[in-house]
Amino acid sequence: MCGLPDTFAQYLYSQGWLIVDFVLRRVLKVKRFFILFFAVVFTAVIAAGFSACDADKGGTSSTAVSSDDTVDYGCVLPEIKWGETVTVLALENDGYHLAQWAPEETNDEPVNDATYERNALIKDRYDITIAAIYRDSYDSIIEAIDNEANVFSGAFDVASAAIHYLATSPASQGLLYDLNSVNSLAGVDYLDLSGQWWDQAAVRDLSIAHALFYATGDVCVTDNTATWAIYYNKDIANDNGIENLYQTVRDGDWTLDKMYTYAKGATVLVGTQMDFTADTDDTWGIVAESYDTLATMLGCAQPMSVKDENDIPQFRIKEERNLEVFDRVLSMLLDGSHVGMADFFGSWNSGVYVTKTEIFTNGHALFYYGALSAVDSELMRNAEIHYGILPMPKADELQTEYSSSGTVYHLTAVSIPISVEKKLPCTVFALEAMAFYGRELVTDEYYEVTLKNKRFTDDDSPEMLDIIVSNRTYDLSTVYNWGDALYMYTTQLGNKNNTLVSAADTYLPKMEVDRDAAVEAIKAFE
């Protein structure tokens, strides 16, 4: 140590944790519990070196690192000991829905154990216990919020649910705090919605009249799992001489027309008509479901509404660009010779969506639409095919950036019910801490360890995942389902005919009425 220049030694000491973290997590895949141990040892060794150098110089060391020092992640929240429990109302569902809030013990599952560690850190540093109570459906969660607004029992402090359910009931009834003003209401400045640990696209897109009732980001992982993408069979792509699609994405050339062209070229008909069964011998160019009509439009950067200078949504369904892109999307998805649309072979709850996945995992489809959660299914985990992941295709070369969306039925957001009064400062504090330390401890375990390193086996898919997650957008028309807008495109698909112009004339008046009612309700609670 004494042979090192002072500035370099100081740099090593100041960056020691980062170096240890990078080597152990990215190279050796060591869990964070052990990383913390190694970090303490590493910094203690460096500190001892400084002491020796100071002694050689005849000075005394002013730096001491004790073995019980905790890692400083850079959180700006004050070190307050609250002595409180903050309870999250959440969906009782397998996997991440339970693992992302308040696991009671470790079980060697990355997200579960990282969340357990996050909560332990919050308990140790701020004396806040993160707890959870569960309901078996989103409707039950909404009902609990409604009931709590009448009794103020204090049963829960944070409510989490899919954004569609939060938007279509309590927000419009004034049962949730406006997160843009909750700091001032609580007399604090703890919640920093500009922080990277909050999804900035959600903060931007989900507000109305500058009020924001729910947010998402690193506070949970089921925002990412609900994000839509395109999976593709590498073996079929190679057999058909298809270009390196990862490079196509990098070059900005991954478009709707290119996807459709490759799908048609890869289709193989064995019998007299394409067979949509799990053991088919045919090869589909694309397998899809009705929701993919909307997901493709949003991937083509064609939301139904955009906001004006007053943060009020304005509808753009009949804009020429939207109509032109929709015509191409619908034409592709209605091509039954190359696209296996599951809904044309049975109702959505009849098992045809599972069949769609089986066709892909059995190696009989080039492209497959799905959420990131698809990779956690038993079918995808056990698939013997080589598959990769791509962002949703652009509409064409006029679209500058890729665009992703999450299914509003499942993408999780958090909110604070108005029933939280005396505990509001602590609840705001806890929500910020959960999001901040979620970014530091939990998101990596899902995103880096589970998705990038376990579910995908190539070096390119992680880059694609970054593009998918970092380009997510939201459309308030579908989040709130104004005028039944959520089903406008899928109805066109079901009718197998493009009558969007006349359909829009029917939908728009009701959409405008519902939007105006939402805006008025929001302004009434300012």
Side-chain angles (χ1 to χ4, degrees):
M1 281 295 296
C2 295
L4 293 173
D6 286 351
T7 54
F8 184 62
Q10 290 164 4
Y11 173 81
L12 281 177
Y13 180 73
S14 65
Q15 300 297 314
W17 159 247
L18 297 178
I19 295 170
V20 170
D21 181 76
F22 177 84
V23 172
L24 293 178
R25 297 203 71 210
R26 302 299 190 269
V27 179
L28 300 180
K29 312 302 182 189
V30 175
K31 287 182 175 291
R32 276 197 180 271
F33 175 83
F34 296 103
I35 292 174
L36 294 175
F37 171 78
F38 284 121
V40 170
V41 173
F42 183 87
T43 51
V45 169
I46 299 286
F50 283 155
S51 298
C53 290
D54 288 338
D56 287 344
K57 295 173 184 177
T60 59
S61 172
S62 60
T63 304
V65 179
S66 64
S67 61
D68 61 350
D69 276 355
T70 56
V71 176
D72 181 4
Y73 293 100
C75 186
V76 298
L77 287 171
E79 298 266 350
I80 300 173
K81 298 293 186 180
W82 290 90
E84 293 277 9
T85 295
V86 170
T87 302
V88 181
L89 175 67
L91 181 68
E92 184 174 21
N93 203 344
D94 293 338
Y96 299 128
H97 282 281
L98 293 177
Q100 67 186 340
W101 300 119
E104 296 180 355
E105 59 184 6
T106 58
N107 61 8
D108 290 329
E109 287 296 326
V111 171
N112 179 92
D113 292 1
T115 303
Y116 184 90
E117 182 185 346
R118 178 198 69 180
N119 292 354
L121 185 153
I122 292 173
K123 172 64 175 176
D124 179 69
R125 187 165 290 185
Y126 307 115
D127 196 14
I128 296 175
T129 299
I130 305 299
I133 57 174
Y134 297 99
R135 295 291 184 271
D136 60 3
S137 68
Y138 289 130
D139 287 330
S140 295
I141 291 175
I142 300 308
E143 182 181 357
I145 296 173
D146 290 341
N147 291 339
E148 184 65 13
N150 294 320
V151 299
F152 280 56
S153 70
F156 55 89
D157 310 292
V158 174
S160 67
I163 53 175
H164 172 63
Y165 292 87
L166 287 173
T168 54
S169 183
S172 61
Q173 299 173 23
L175 303 186
L176 303 176
Y177 279 108
D178 171 16
L179 298 180
N180 281 334
S181 61
V182 72
N183 273 338
S184 59
L185 292 173
V188 300
D189 60 355
Y190 301 144
L191 188 64
D192 180 10
L193 291 174
S194 68
Q196 293 181 346
W197 42 97
W198 294 107
D199 183 341
Q200 293 306 299
V203 172
R204 176 196 67 211
D205 294 345
L206 294 178
S207 65
I208 301 178
H210 306 295
L212 181 69
F213 297 104
Y214 30 82
T216 191
D218 295 301
V219 70
C220 61
V221 298
T222 46
D223 59 331
N224 290 327
T225 62
T227 303
W228 232 244
I230 300 291
Y231 298 87
Y232 82 101
N233 185 312
K234 294 182 179 181
D235 301 320
I236 296 177
N238 290 336
D239 291 345
N240 284 271
I242 295 174
E243 63 189 289
N244 182 339
L245 293 179
Y246 294 132
Q247 189 58 47
T248 303
V249 171
R250 294 186 188 101
D251 294 340
D253 296 332
W254 174 234
T255 63
L256 193 67
D257 288 345
K258 185 156 287 192
M259 176 178 167
Y260 189 22
T261 297
Y262 290 143
K264 289 187 286 187
T267 300
V268 177
L269 172 62
V270 175
T272 58
Q273 65 180 31
M274 295 295 290
D275 176 33
F276 195 86
T277 60
D279 57 355
T280 180
D281 291 324
D282 298 331
T283 298
W284 291 92
I286 301 171
V287 285
E289 60 191 63
S290 61
Y291 186 83
D292 299 327
T293 317
L294 175 59
T296 306
M297 285 295 287
L298 294 176
C300 290
Q302 299 303 309
M304 292 185 185
S305 61
V306 293
K307 293 190 287 186
D308 63 18
E309 65 278 5
N310 296 314
D311 203 38
I312 305 299
Q314 304 296 326
F315 304 117
R316 54 173 302 278
I317 299 166
K318 294 181 68 173
E319 285 185 7
E320 182 179 352
R321 172 69 169 170
N322 191 73
L323 294 173
E324 185 271 326
V325 172
F326 180 76
D327 186 64
R328 288 193 282 125
V329 169
L330 190 64
S331 295
M332 180 185 76
L333 294 179
L334 286 177
D335 180 358
S337 296
H338 304 97
V339 178
M341 179 56 65
D343 300 75
F344 294 159
F345 297 91
S347 62
W348 67 271
N349 58 354
S350 67
V352 290
Y353 288 2
V354 175
T355 301
K356 178 194 77 166
T357 304
E358 289 174 328
I359 291 172
F360 180 73
T361 56
N362 288 341
H364 291 279
L366 173 59
F367 295 118
Y368 166 90
Y369 282 91
L372 295 187
S373 61
V375 298
D376 295 312
S377 71
E378 184 177 353
L379 286 170
M380 292 287 273
R381 290 200 310 269
N382 296 330
E384 296 182 359
I385 62 172
H386 300 95
Y387 66 85
I389 191 167
L390 305 166
M392 299 297 289
K394 295 179 179 179
D396 47 40
E397 66 280 357
L398 297 177
Q399 184 176 333
T400 57
E401 301 291 338
Y402 293 104
S403 176
S404 303
S405 65
T407 165
V408 298
Y409 298 112
H410 298 291
L411 193 147
T412 302
V414 293
S415 56
I416 303 177
I418 59 168
S419 55
V420 179
E421 292 185 307
K422 293 180 179 179
K423 283 174 62 177
L424 186 58
C426 179
T427 300
V428 173
F429 187 103
L431 202 57
E432 178 75 2
M434 291 169 67
F436 180 89
Y437 292 111
R439 180 178 180 84
E440 297 299 322
L441 297 172
V442 183
T443 299
D444 258 8
E445 294 298 325
Y446 166 70
Y447 192 59
E448 302 287 343
V449 177
T450 302
L451 268 187
K452 290 186 176 181
N453 295 330
K454 286 187 176 181
R455 301 293 188 250
F456 297 99
T457 58
D458 59 61
D459 295 330
D460 299 290
S461 290
E463 181 183 355
M464 300 299 108
L465 288 165
D466 289 334
I467 293 171
I468 292 164
V469 173
S470 64
N471 286 283
R472 192 164 59 204
T473 58
Y474 303 83
D475 182 7
L476 283 170
S477 298
T478 56
V479 169
Y480 278 85
N481 193 28
W482 289 320
D484 223 23
L486 188 52
Y487 307 103
M488 177 162 45
Y489 291 157
T490 56
T491 298
Q492 293 286 299
L493 179 80
N495 292 338
K496 299 184 179 181
N497 189 24
N498 186 356
T499 59
L500 183 59
V501 173
S502 59
D505 289 335
T506 300
Y507 276 85
L508 282 170
K510 184 63 165 64
M511 291 173 66
E512 291 170 351
V513 168
D514 288 352
R515 176 207 55 198
D516 292 346
V519 172
E520 290 304 313
I522 289 167
K523 289 183 176 181
F525 288 97
E526 288 180 350

